[in-house]
Amino acid sequence: GESVGLHLPTLSVQEGDNSIINCAYSNSASDYFIWYKQESGKGPQFIIDIRSNMDKRQGQRVTVLLNKTVKHLSLQIAATQPGDSAVYFCAEKGGGSYIPTFGRGTSLIVHP
Amino acid sequence: DTAVSQTPKYLVTQMGNDKSIKCEQNLGHDTMYWYKQDSKKFLKIMFSYNNKELIINETVPNRFSPKSPDKAHLNLHINSLELGDSAVYFCASSPISGSYNEQFFGPGTRLTVL
């Protein structure tokens, strides 16, 4: 089956740096992508989403970029803070699927 | 106020026992889900219900049985618990199945089978 994966399992950054978390997907029929943040001991929480008719979407300190040509998704976090430390998941949906498929997750560690 | 709640938060039990996990959402959503998260943080869909009707049932042992008494509740009953069932189980909900909507997750239930 097709899957969503992540390039890096762990990313360590210094407070104040920008962080980039990458995600590769293989289902070319996917038309909706979501980033979730999961803090320790909690459930995943929605951060930002993007539809396939866009290539960039910005939120507060976060930007999602979508490159459909190479089936790549990234989450950029500006001025990373210790509170951003968490596991980040990308998820994709579409192609007739009712539910999103989650990637493996990347652990972001922010050092003060 | 909690949007998606689960009870209990922790569940420790012996192999062979039967246990239930409860989930409630107060968001008015039509669709609810159960996910299993393993020790490597991989999230795997188990079930999805839309307006109390089962729409997704992934490859899950039939020892796992979801029950939806109304569209705000989706409980998970597990019979004859095995060591491999140890994981964190997440309930989630979304407005409409198949649409461009994110899911709202509960806090999770950490199940430990001894």
Side-chain angles (χ1 to χ4, degrees):
Chain A
E2 306 209 81
S3 63
V4 179
L6 292 170
H7 292 305
L8 296 172
T10 303
L11 178 64
S12 290
V13 300
Q14 288 296 127
E15 182 178 0
D17 287 352
N18 295 333
S19 301
I20 300 176
I21 300 171
N22 296 303
C23 179
Y25 66 95
S26 55
N27 186 352
S28 56
S30 295
D31 59 359
Y32 180 53
F33 304 87
I34 315 155
W35 280 100
Y36 288 91
K37 173 187 181 183
Q38 185 179 17
E39 295 177 80
S40 181
K42 297 184 179 179
Q45 184 178 21
F46 170 84
I47 303 173
I48 192 167
D49 59 0
I50 189 167
R51 297 191 190 185
S52 59
N53 60 353
M54 303 172 70
D55 53 20
K56 181 179 180 179
R57 191 158 188 229
Q58 286 185 290
Q60 196 169 24
R61 282 201 307 119
V62 295
T63 301
V64 55
L65 298 177
L66 175 62
N67 185 332
K68 294 182 289 293
T69 303
V70 295
K71 299 196 200 71
H72 185 267
L73 190 69
S74 69
L75 176 70
Q76 299 178 1
I77 305 174
T80 315
Q81 302 167 0
D84 295 327
S85 294
V87 176
Y88 290 80
F89 293 94
C90 65
E92 55 90 14
K93 192 168 154 182
S97 173
Y98 285 105
I99 55 172
T101 300
F102 280 80
R104 270 278 166 194
T106 292
S107 176
L108 175 65
I109 300 170
V110 182
H111 301 282
Chain B
D1 288 340
T2 305
V4 182
S5 59
Q6 294 178 230
T7 53
K9 186 161 176 65
Y10 300 97
L11 184 53
V12 181
T13 189
Q14 300 285 333
M15 264 197 313
N17 284 349
D18 303 339
K19 291 294 178 185
S20 292
I21 307 172
K22 296 187 176 182
C23 178
E24 177 181 2
Q25 54 96 3
N26 62 6
L27 297 165
H29 288 167
D30 288 330
T31 308
M32 295 185 72
Y33 313 80
W34 276 107
Y35 283 85
K36 179 180 180 180
Q37 187 173 49
D38 63 20
S39 58
K40 296 180 182 176
K41 299 289 189 183
F42 185 65
L43 272 165
K44 181 177 169 57
I45 184 72
M46 300 174 70
F47 302 101
S48 176
Y49 266 73
N50 188 52
N51 274 320
K52 301 195 299 171
E53 299 290 327
L54 179 66
I55 57 170
I56 296 284
N57 181 358
E58 294 293 312
T59 306
V60 175
N62 58 13
R63 298 181 294 104
F64 291 79
S65 52
K67 293 269 188 326
S68 184
D70 54 62
K71 76 172 193 177
H73 295 84
L74 181 62
N75 303 323
L76 184 65
H77 188 76
I78 316 169
N79 289 327
S80 303
L81 278 154
E82 300 178 357
L83 293 176
D85 297 333
S86 295
V88 181
Y89 291 84
F90 287 100
C91 177
S93 71
S94 65
I96 303 171
S97 172
S99 63
Y100 297 107
N101 294 112
E102 76 273 21
Q103 293 168 308
F104 293 76
F105 283 82
T109 295
R110 181 174 292 277
L111 171 65
T112 303
V113 183
L114 304 174

